[in-house]
Amino acid sequence: MLPWKLIDTADVPGGGEPLRLMQRGREFTIKLGQNELMSSRLYGSEEALATLSCARLKDRPAPHLLIGGLGMGFTLRAALKVLGPQARVTVAELVPAVIMWARGPMAELSGDSLADPRVDIREGDVAKLIAAARGTYDAILLDVDNGPQGLTRQSNDALYDSSGLRAAFSALRPGGVLAVWSSHPADHFTPQLRKAGFAAEEIKIRATGRSGRGARHVIWIATRPA
């Protein structure tokens, strides 16, 4: 078996340990310490984050999506595949090196997504874009940290607390969708979404996106009432 090679490291603003981009053959992983944050082998749930959200926007001819976290580009790529030509997708990525990796060593994973004319890549904190918006987005897709129970950066928790959810509610248009990816269940989160005014559904999905064995991830689909 081929050994893993360290390709690059990157500091997380406000974080502790650096991110490490590792490669083995055509396989990539991004790690924080011993924790694997994302892998090019397991991306089905990241794609599902996009497809489940976009399915709820099918009657909107020109939806505007905000994706929090570029990662390896799987969510963005899946969204572009099902969205029409009038759609707009804003992607906020906190770590500049992740954008550089997506355009460099991992370019094959995202294909031509980053150059798609529907896409606007923003370097910065998605929380700031959400806080500045009022009825701006048809969907907000959050794949930030490890979900509501964070791992990389304590300030990410503010996205998922009561004030963060109220901000997301305000940033959405009526009938808009807040979709949240998590590597683990969080029993408190569905009630918290409902308390913020959303109609919330919790969906468990295999990391591969297929039925069978393997790790299960969680996606919450929360809808702002029309």
Side-chain angles (χ1 to χ4, degrees), residues 188-210:
H188 72 284
F189 195 57
T190 300
Q192 202 166 341
L193 286 165
R194 291 172 178 160
K195 188 175 181 180
F198 290 100
E201 177 184 6
E202 180 179 333
I203 301 169
K204 292 183 172 65
I205 188 164
R206 295 290 181 189
T208 59
R210 301 184 298 273

Side-chain angles (χ1 to χ4, degrees), residues 129-130 133-137 140 166-173 224:
L129 292 181
I130 292 172
R134 292 294 182 274
T136 301
Y137 303 108
I140 299 171
R166 286 195 299 269
F169 188 96
S170 297
L172 287 167
R173 293 171 180 154
R224 174 175 174 166

